[in-house]
């Protein structure tokens, strides 16, 4: 039986994630205080019904009770049960916008004297320790619901608890850096197809753009060096027990050079037997 602890910032998309997890067969429970996690886990393990995957949402809605999360998680270690932590995050300005749109009160509204910005800052500080322990991290700032669902599918659909998933992504610096990335490579140093009239409206998913980017010696050499580096790093990350590795390539708009390099790296990893997936965060933006 595998347990997944889902937590993160209020307004970061935990409810959406739980819906997706239910769709792929997880038994889910929302808003459970950490003190009740051991009891709930015990009920699951002793249930006559066969349950393979359980997702538990616990967050700051529990108030000061949430601060005892470590005690709740110690039950898994003491009873040799598999568990992972998924942390959801989003940029402050995105969280503020979401709260304004839904007009819901932040769980720390009273403690922050009605300041949503102060409430978010307080929550970040309270969640700092669990963020550092998280096995999986998803930044939902720039994700649509469909993209969030794809992220969850990629991480947890038929994914063994002890394997590491490598996510290769492209993004545009003009829309903000990839906050969830473990490794970020800036490919803005390469010739930009955007300034070629016949290539401007195409993307790195099309051969006309990818062939243009990869025709230069510096592009070929950079890709080769990055392939060698990633091949060296992946076993090290895996040995340290990392569950998710996010490799991000950024260019100006996230449509041409970054997409080309992400696609090439994804193909290289797949050919070498690495469990990986790919995401182009900003490719559809105008």
């Amino acid at each position: 039986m595998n347990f997944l602890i889902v937590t993160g910032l209020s307004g970061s998309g935990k409810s959406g994630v739980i819906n997706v997890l239910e769709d792929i067969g997880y038994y889910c429970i929302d808003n459970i205080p950490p003190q009740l996690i051991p009891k709930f886990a015990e009920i699951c393990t002793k249930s006559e019904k066969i349950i393979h995957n359980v997702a538990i949402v616990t967050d700051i809605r529990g108030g000061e009770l949430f601060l005892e999360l470590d005690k709740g998680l110690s039950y898994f270690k003491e009873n040799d049960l598999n568990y992972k932590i998924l942390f959801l995050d989003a940029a402050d300005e995105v969280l503020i916008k979401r709260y304004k749109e839904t007009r819901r009160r932040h769980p720390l509204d009273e403690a922050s004297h009605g300041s949503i910005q102060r409430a978010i800052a307080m929550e970040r500080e309270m969640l700092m320790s669990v963020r550092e322990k998280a096995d999986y991290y998803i930044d939902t700032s720039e994700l649509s619901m469909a993209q969030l669902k794809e992220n969850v599918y990629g991480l947890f659909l038929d994914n063994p608890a002890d394997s590491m998933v490598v996510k290769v992504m492209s993004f545009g610096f003009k829309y903000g850096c990839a906050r969830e990335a473990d490794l970020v490579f800036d490919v803005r140093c390469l010739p930009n197809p955007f300034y070629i009239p016949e290539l401007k409206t195409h993307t790195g998913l099309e051969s006309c753009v990818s062939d243009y980017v990869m025709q230069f010696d510096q592009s070929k050499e950079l890709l080769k060096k990055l392939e060698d580096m990633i091949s060296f790093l992946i076993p090290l990350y895996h040995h340290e027990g990392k569950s998710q590795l996010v490799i991000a390539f950024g260019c100006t708009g996230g449509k041409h050079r970054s997409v080309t390099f992400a696609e090439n790296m994804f193909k290289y990893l797949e050919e070498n037997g690495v469990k990986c997936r790919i995401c182009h965060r900003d490719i559809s933006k105008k």
Side-chain angles (χ1 to χ4, degrees):
M1 185 178 295
N2 300 311
F3 290 88
L4 179 65
I5 308 300
V6 181
T7 189
L9 275 292
S10 303
S12 60
K14 294 187 291 294
S15 297
V17 166
I18 281 295
N19 290 336
V20 179
L21 289 171
E22 284 185 338
D23 290 342
I24 61 177
Y26 273 74
Y27 184 85
C28 303
I29 183 168
D30 191 10
N31 195 16
I32 183 171
Q35 292 85 343
L36 294 182
I37 289 178
K39 188 61 180 177
F40 178 71
E42 182 183 354
I43 293 172
C44 290
T45 55
K46 293 182 178 180
S47 172
E48 294 182 0
K49 180 181 178 181
I50 298 176
I51 304 174
H52 296 293
N53 298 305
V54 179
I56 301 171
V57 180
T58 183
D59 52 37
I60 207 65
R61 285 174 293 175
E64 293 185 1
L65 296 176
F66 180 75
L67 300 179
E68 297 187 25
L69 179 60
D70 283 341
K71 293 182 180 179
L73 296 180
S74 64
Y75 175 85
F76 295 106
K77 299 175 183 177
E78 294 167 359
N79 290 273
D80 199 27
L81 295 174
N82 295 319
Y83 82 95
K84 300 286 186 180
I85 299 175
L86 167 62
F87 191 92
L88 296 175
D89 198 357
D92 287 7
E93 60 271 19
V94 174
L95 295 173
I96 292 172
K97 181 181 178 182
R98 289 174 182 174
Y99 266 98
K100 286 182 177 179
E101 289 174 348
T102 61
R103 297 186 179 182
R104 296 190 64 188
R105 290 181 59 196
H106 192 281
L108 296 177
D109 181 74
E110 187 174 337
S112 64
H113 304 291
S115 169
I116 181 64
Q117 198 159 5
R118 190 180 299 119
I120 293 171
M122 292 171 62
E123 187 175 20
R124 283 199 185 281
E125 186 174 351
M126 296 172 74
L127 293 174
M128 189 176 299
S129 62
V130 68
R131 164 68 183 90
E132 294 172 349
K133 298 172 185 173
D135 300 284
Y136 305 103
Y137 176 88
I138 299 178
D139 181 352
T140 66
S141 301
E142 300 290 337
L143 298 183
S144 64
M145 190 57 224
Q147 289 174 319
L148 178 58
K149 180 183 293 186
E150 185 180 328
N151 270 263
V152 176
Y153 280 175
L155 288 174
F156 304 111
L157 187 60
D158 298 326
N159 177 36
D162 60 348
S163 70
M164 182 176 75
V165 178
V166 177
K167 175 182 175 182
V168 183
M169 68 179 295
S170 66
F171 70 94
F173 279 101
K174 67 185 291 184
Y175 302 110
C177 192
R179 288 156 41 94
E180 66 186 285
D182 299 290
L183 302 170
V184 177
F185 299 107
D186 185 349
V187 293
R188 289 177 293 183
C189 56
L190 303 175
N192 192 352
F194 179 83
Y195 297 109
I196 309 298
E198 58 269 28
L199 299 179
K200 181 177 180 179
T201 58
H202 296 275
T203 74
L205 295 178
E206 300 168 81
S207 58
C208 58
V209 171
S210 59
D211 289 347
Y212 173 83
V213 173
M214 297 311 300
Q215 71 175 315
F216 301 101
D217 290 340
Q218 60 264 43
S219 298
K220 296 174 185 175
E221 186 174 357
L222 177 58
L223 179 61
K224 181 63 172 65
K225 289 181 181 295
L226 290 176
E227 288 173 347
D228 290 343
M229 179 192 296
I230 299 303
S231 295
F232 173 76
L233 290 174
I234 285 179
L236 301 182
Y237 282 119
H238 191 273
H239 179 72
E240 288 299 311
K242 192 169 180 61
S243 301
Q244 175 192 26
L245 177 66
V246 182
I247 305 169
F249 294 92
C251 62
T252 305
K255 297 178 182 294
H256 301 107
R257 294 164 292 180
S258 61
V259 173
T260 297
F261 264 71
E263 286 289 328
N264 275 281
M265 181 59 70
F266 175 75
K267 181 180 178 182
Y268 171 79
L269 293 174
E270 226 181 15
E271 290 175 349
N272 284 273
V274 177
K275 183 176 177 62
C276 57
R277 58 197 181 89
I278 191 165
C279 167
H280 301 298
R281 193 190 73 180
D282 302 322
I283 195 170
S284 61
K285 292 180 179 175
K286 296 181 180 180

